[in-house]
Amino acid sequence: MASEGPQQVGKYEIIEELGRGGFAVVYKALDTTLNRIVAVKVLNRHSLRDARLCGRLSSRTPGCCTGQMAHRA
């Protein structure tokens, strides 16, 4: 994980950065409540100012969207 990135986002413990794009950074993280590996998308400051974008995204942690990672066997 890059040292400038977050170590914790809400209940999610950041493990490593998976990728970044124009409006967000995606991290591999541990959901500390469910004890499960998830992907956490953290919007950058510029994106958080876009009310339309924020209105389309919903999450318990502001500026954060999560999804379970699927791994092929």
Side-chain angles (χ1 to χ4, degrees):
M1 174 181 72
S3 60
E4 67 274 359
Q7 294 181 0
Q8 186 93 19
V9 177
K11 66 177 185 172
Y12 305 101
E13 184 178 312
I14 302 301
I15 298 169
E16 66 180 317
E17 182 179 311
L18 295 176
R20 60 178 57 233
F23 77 96
V25 180
V26 178
Y27 296 99
K28 178 180 180 181
L30 173 67
D31 181 324
T32 57
T33 301
L34 300 175
N35 196 30
R36 181 176 12 190
I37 299 297
V38 296
V40 177
K41 181 178 279 188
V42 180
L43 302 179
N44 64 32
R45 286 185 176 98
H46 176 72
S47 297
L48 288 173
R49 292 185 195 132
D50 184 339
R52 288 177 295 154
L53 176 62
C54 290
R56 291 189 308 217
L57 303 172
S58 64
S59 177
R60 293 183 183 183
T61 304
C64 177
C65 300
T66 62
Q68 184 177 350
M69 296 177 72
H71 300 280
R72 295 182 180 155

